[in-house]
Amino acid sequence: MAQFFKFKENNTDLRTESVAGMTTFLAMAYILFVNPDILAAAGMDQNAVFVATALSAAIATLVMGLLANYPIALAPGMGLNAFFAFSVVIGMGIEWQVALFGVFCSGIIFTILSVSNIRETIINAIPAEMKYAAGAGIGLFIAFIGLQNTEIIVADDATIVALGDLSNPSVLLTIFGLVVTVIFLVIGLKGGIFFGMVVTAVVGMIFGVINTPDSIVAPIPSLEPTFGQLFTIDFSSVFTLQLLIVILTFLFVDFFDTAGTLYGVANQAGFIKDNKLPRAGRALLADSTAGPIGAILGTSTTTSYVESAAGVGAGGRTGFTSVVTALFFIVALFFSPLLAVVTPAVTGPALILVGVMMASALKQIDWNRLEIAIPAFFTILAMPLTYSIATGIAMGFVFYPVTMICKGKAKEVHPLMYGLFVVFLLYFIFLK
């Protein structure tokens, strides 16, 4: 095993890798409860999504560890699950089974791109600032969902949104959880978001805001309500411009989020050599195949997690870290009764603070260049205000060629960006 994972070459050992794998799991374990909560809004069975989340994370992380030998874990992505539930299913009125088919298609396309040179062409075609804007906008959107689900922010006839009732016990529990989780993160506690959820749930049960579960361990729930449901749709009516936009958005967000995560975590681990990532093709292949697997199981796009940096910080340097993380996800399958205590008050702080982390991409945008700042701003602003990640990306990609042409930099715009301009313009004309 030491030879297979190259412990000696990476200056690590079994104990260090095991601790790192557990650390990574704790840092991202919140997804086991947040993802079912979000996809339940799309009408999906919460228990089945819990199983799909754990299985997709375990399988994808195991593939990453064994194929690419990297300490990078995967799970259904935050932002992509929100886009799936709130923009595609609720916003566009698309059935969740069809949305899963969209996830499946985007994953297949991503896999093809990952084994070809087209990947580099697409990465180079889209300006870095627009990628950062998309990430930051998704962060704000996720935070807004967290504030709304917990009723810290409520609807208002006069101002559209307003501050909720702060005397509501559930709202107070959310605020408590937010403060506790902030403290955990600021002091650098590994798995701060997960432990914040645990403390919030325990306090909620003590004060009667959350019902105490009948048990902690139980048989694994049935996966039948979601497994393979994407293949039960009417294929004669799914290939529409609307679904094409959905597939492109899933692909875009996953594609660049994956690239950023892989290179960011790899750089922290010291793997980057001459600005290149060794075994990048294997890592991207492992990530891209995770999407179709997750869709078949019954969850939104599975992708690489930046929380893997926690495991790297604990000393993880090889794929064995990922193997350990995958095993923890398998063990987690037996703890489904805990879903009963994971209410919006418990998941809300996690959503809000994940939003904070994603919004850090704002610092990468050159706000002094208006030809860049304007499309980036509309991308970021439109996502929470229109309740749609797709609309935010579309708006930014429509403005970008226009501002660049007006600045006299039309030749600096890649032809692919002009193609996307036409696609998203049609999106506004026919779908909005």
Side-chain angles (χ1 to χ4, degrees):
M1 185 169 61
Q3 291 180 345
F4 179 83
F5 291 105
K6 296 180 171 59
F7 284 176
K8 185 176 181 180
E9 292 88 332
N10 289 282
N11 194 29
T12 187
D13 53 49
L14 182 64
R15 180 183 180 280
T16 300
E17 294 293 300
S18 299
V19 171
M22 180 181 67
T23 302
T24 296
F25 172 77
L26 292 175
M28 59 188 292
Y30 67 88
I31 195 61
L32 287 168
F33 306 104
V34 175
N35 196 52
D37 184 58
I38 290 178
L39 297 191
M44 299 180 70
D45 184 272
Q46 195 169 16
N47 286 314
V49 174
F50 170 80
V51 178
T53 300
L55 282 179
S56 62
I59 295 171
T61 302
L62 196 61
V63 171
M64 177 66 77
L66 297 176
L67 179 64
N69 196 24
Y70 277 133
I72 296 174
L74 299 88
M78 290 296 295
L80 287 161
N81 52 9
F83 172 64
F84 181 101
F86 298 101
S87 294
V88 179
V89 178
I90 296 175
M92 297 182 180
I94 294 176
E95 294 182 348
W96 62 263
Q97 293 90 339
V98 177
L100 283 178
F101 179 71
V103 171
F104 180 82
C105 290
S106 70
I108 294 297
I109 296 172
F110 189 14
T111 301
I112 295 172
L113 296 177
S114 296
V115 297
S116 68
N117 292 327
I118 301 175
R119 174 177 58 88
E120 286 80 5
T121 302
I122 296 176
I123 289 177
N124 294 331
I126 299 177
E129 286 88 350
M130 297 306 294
K131 302 170 195 172
Y132 297 134
I138 291 171
L140 295 182
F141 182 52
I142 289 174
F144 181 64
I145 291 172
L147 292 167
Q148 183 189 49
N149 287 350
T150 57
E151 297 185 356
I152 292 178
I153 297 297
V154 296
D156 185 273
D157 292 336
T159 60
I160 302 179
V161 292
L163 188 65
D165 180 8
L166 299 185
S167 64
N168 184 319
S170 181
V171 173
L172 287 173
L173 180 61
T174 302
I175 295 172
F176 168 80
L178 188 59
V179 172
V180 168
T181 309
V182 165
I183 293 173
F184 286 166
L185 291 175
V186 171
I187 66 175
L189 176 66
K190 303 298 183 184
I193 290 179
F194 175 74
F195 288 119
M197 292 175 64
V198 172
V199 171
T200 304
V202 170
V203 170
M205 287 185 285
I206 291 174
F207 286 93
V209 182
I210 298 175
N211 294 326
T212 304
D214 297 329
S215 61
I216 296 177
V217 179
I220 300 174
S222 173
L223 187 62
E224 185 178 354
T226 61
F227 181 75
Q229 291 300 307
L230 75 164
F231 298 121
T232 64
I233 62 176
D234 179 7
F235 288 95
S236 63
S237 60
V238 298
F239 294 102
T240 63
L241 179 59
Q242 188 180 45
L243 185 62
L244 175 62
I245 295 295
V246 170
I247 293 173
L248 286 175
T249 303
F250 276 130
L251 177 63
F252 172 82
V253 177
D254 186 29
F255 195 90
F256 294 106
D257 181 64
T258 293
T261 299
L262 286 176
Y263 278 82
V265 175
N267 186 57
Q268 179 188 351
F271 296 144
I272 303 297
K273 305 296 181 184
D274 299 323
N275 201 34
K276 294 182 179 180
L277 176 66
R279 306 185 303 281
R282 292 187 179 187
L284 283 166
L285 183 61
D287 188 287
S288 61
T289 55
I293 292 172
I296 293 172
L297 292 171
T299 182
S300 53
T301 308
T302 302
T303 186
S304 297
Y305 258 58
V306 72
E307 283 84 354
S308 302
V312 170
R317 291 295 182 273
T318 75
F320 190 74
T321 293
S322 297
V323 171
V324 173
T325 302
L327 292 176
F328 271 104
F329 273 112
I330 293 174
V331 172
L333 284 167
F334 296 95
F335 293 87
S336 61
L338 294 179
L339 282 170
V341 305
V342 185
T343 65
V346 175
T347 58
L351 292 172
I352 295 166
L353 293 172
V354 167
V356 172
M357 297 171 186
M358 296 184 71
S360 64
L362 288 168
K363 67 182 179 182
Q364 305 289 346
I365 300 171
D366 187 353
W367 295 102
N368 294 317
R369 296 175 58 199
L370 287 179
E371 69 274 18
I372 294 294
I374 289 173
F377 177 77
F378 279 115
T379 297
I380 296 164
L381 186 67
M383 288 187 189
L385 293 188
T386 65
Y387 221 71
S388 170
I389 294 172
T391 298
I393 291 175
M395 194 172 292
F397 276 46
V398 166
F399 269 101
Y400 177 75
V402 174
T403 56
M404 291 295 284
I405 291 172
C406 292
K407 189 66 176 179
K409 298 181 178 180
K411 293 183 179 180
E412 296 182 18
V413 180
H414 194 281
L416 180 62
M417 291 301 295
Y418 288 115
L420 291 174
F421 167 83
V422 173
V423 170
F424 287 121
L425 195 61
L426 292 173
Y427 169 74
F428 283 119
I429 293 173
F430 294 105
L431 301 180
K432 290 294 177 182

